[in-house]
Amino acid sequence: MKARTDTKEKIVELATDLILAGGYPSLSYQQISSKLGIKNAAIHYHYPSKEDLGVEVVRKEIERFDDFMAAVSGFGQWEKLEAFMLNYRKYLENENRICMIGACASDYREIPEQIQSTAAEYFQIVKNWFTDLLESGRSEKAFYFRGEAANKASLISSAMAGGLQHARLIGNAHYDAVITQIKLELQE
Amino acid sequence: MKARTDTKEKIVELATDLILAGGYPSLSYQQISSKLGIKNAAIHYHYPSKEDLGVEVVRKEIERFDDFMAAVSGFGQWEKLEAFMLNYRKYLENENRICMIGACASDYREIPEQIQSTAAEYFQIVKNWFTDLLESGRSEKAFYFRGEAANKASLISSAMAGGLQHARLIGNAHYDAVITQIKLELQE
DNA sequence: TGTTTTACTTACATATAAGTAAGTATATTT
DNA sequence: AAATATACTTACTTATATGTAAGTAAAACA
């Protein structure tokens, strides 16, 4: 078959997985091609440069988060929070993968500008979603916390990303401890 | 001069800096040698393999934290917390470097086993120090928080590491927002 | 049916990485 | 003063990375 394959999608899928596992700098065309049973140049056909592939990976992640936001739009505040936390725990359970934003942030200075800015855009979207959730959750008396919702959103989003990473070092219970504390501190 | 130089110390110093900036995988002997005005093989003389150098870097960081713990042992609870937070902010101010534990955690699957375990050991020391600080701070009514001190320590340490990383994406104010919220939530 | 486009493969170019073996100049030790 | 250890340099090996140019088989199209 030489036309209408799903190779392009598979490349992005695998690249996403590899970035969450080992970071963008460690991602190689060899890893992808050997796992897909294709040649190196086949990837360059779909994504001329590694940067092109990287940008596409992060863009697709933003799309996925757009879908997530739409899917939970009818949920209650606590349900939304739990849904978000569950997604992160799935990364953890998948051989200690981390989140895309954390992966891009920690390798920030080794990734091309376009990926940097796309990752920044992604984080801003997540942080805004969290801020809105906390703000409305507080006004509806679902969540209780002091200070500005934006600051609380900063704290929670960073704690979750950091929690995933630290769980690699000392075990998954660390992530659960972070989540437990976050939830506890949102209760009355 | 062919004996009694401080090249070895300079190598570790520079390697530390480069890991905090770009991560262990992106660290190269070329970067180090060119910046020190020596040849590649000179680094291999002091550190035969990159793994040897990496382990030494993390070990030196543990020593530095030992010194920190000793230096602040006479401080009050809030002073200790502020001192720790100030150290992290210095990383941020130094061209958005991140902390060693976060750097090792995010590149965990790309670093040799010895570095993984040394970094894990380091994080456990930091987390234990934080747990003790929070525990004693609460009993002395300096800090106020709900739940287990270990969980609160998990939350704060991960939020700070994640905060440093996320600040690269959207600016240093993000880190300050995290710190502001952490402090606010430790008050009465 | 013939042409063009799609989706590749083959083969190669270039750069850079870690690491090693052997040589050398200086400093220290005996 | 001679021997030895220290701290390198030179020169090389091997592996792997991104990327490119040219060729090819199958599918889509006109």
Side-chain angles (χ1 to χ4, degrees), chain A residues 24-85:
Chain A
Y24 175 84
S26 301
L27 169 75
S28 77
Y29 277 33
Q30 307 288 352
Q31 284 178 292
I32 300 170
S33 60
S34 67
K35 285 202 181 186
L36 291 183
I38 56 176
K39 297 295 163 184
N40 222 327
I43 305 172
H44 284 286
Y45 169 73
H46 292 291
Y47 298 100
S49 79
K50 194 178 157 181
E51 177 170 5
D52 295 323
L53 176 56
V55 170
E56 182 70 4
V57 163
V58 182
R59 287 238 167 89
K60 278 272 156 64
E61 285 282 298
I62 294 179
E63 277 179 37
R64 240 193 295 273
F65 189 69
D66 284 340
D67 293 344
F68 168 81
M69 288 191 291
V72 301
S73 63
F75 287 24
Q77 322 287 5
W78 275 97
E79 285 174 306
K80 283 184 186 174
L81 182 67
E82 298 269 14
F84 187 91
M85 286 172 166

Side-chain angles (χ1 to χ4, degrees), chain B residues 112-133:
Chain B
E113 265 192 59
Q114 267 200 77
I115 304 180
Q116 290 180 339
S117 59
T118 309
E121 189 191 320
Y122 183 16
F123 181 53
Q124 197 59 62
I125 292 169
V126 171
K127 204 176 134 176
N128 288 344
W129 178 82
F130 243 112
T131 304
D132 290 348
L133 173 66

Side-chain angles (χ1 to χ4, degrees), chain B:
Chain B
M1 319 138 199
K2 292 280 164 173
R4 271 158 207 186
T5 62
D6 54 351
T7 304
K8 196 173 182 180
E9 281 75 26
K10 280 182 181 168
I11 289 168
V12 178
E13 222 175 284
L14 231 174
T16 302
D17 193 59
L18 291 167
I19 290 173
L20 299 186
Y24 175 84
S26 301
L27 170 73
S28 78
Y29 276 33
Q30 308 287 353
Q31 283 178 291
I32 299 171
S33 59
S34 68
K35 284 203 182 186
L36 291 182
I38 56 177
K39 296 296 161 182
N40 221 328
I43 305 172
H44 283 287
Y45 170 73
H46 291 291
Y47 298 100
S49 78
K50 195 179 157 182
E51 177 169 5
D52 296 323
L53 175 56
V55 170
E56 182 70 5
V57 163
V58 182
R59 287 238 166 89
K60 279 271 156 65
E61 285 282 298
I62 294 179
E63 277 178 38
R64 241 194 295 275
F65 189 69
D66 284 339
D67 294 344
F68 168 81
M69 287 190 291
V72 302
S73 63
F75 286 24
Q77 322 286 7
W78 274 97
E79 285 174 306
K80 284 184 187 175
L81 182 68
E82 298 269 16
F84 186 92
M85 287 171 164
L86 184 65
N87 279 341
Y88 267 54
R89 208 179 194 289
K90 278 182 200 157
Y91 293 134
L92 195 69
E93 283 157 16
N94 189 21
E95 290 176 296
N96 286 280
R97 275 163 181 77
I98 61 175
C99 66
M100 182 59 67
I101 296 168
C104 290
S106 61
D107 287 324
Y108 193 75
R109 299 181 40 162
E110 300 296 326
I111 64 183
E113 265 192 59
Q114 267 200 77
I115 304 180
Q116 290 180 339
S117 59
T118 309
E121 189 191 320
Y122 183 16
F123 181 53
Q124 197 59 62
I125 292 169
V126 171
K127 204 176 134 176
N128 288 344
W129 178 82
F130 243 112
T131 304
D132 290 348
L133 173 66
L134 290 164
E135 190 85 72
S136 65
R138 178 158 62 178
S139 69
E140 291 176 24
K141 305 212 169 184
F143 299 140
Y144 296 84
F145 61 93
R146 287 180 278 174
E148 292 174 35
N151 289 355
K152 185 71 168 171
S154 296
L155 172 63
I156 294 177
S157 57
S158 287
M160 287 184 65
L164 276 187
Q165 294 180 21
H166 286 157
R168 287 175 161 177
L169 299 175
I170 58 166
N172 292 0
H174 174 81
Y175 175 77
D176 294 327
V178 172
I179 295 305
T180 298
Q181 192 67 23
I182 290 172
K183 286 185 187 171
L184 178 66
E185 297 189 351
L186 280 172
Q187 288 162 24
E188 195 175 357

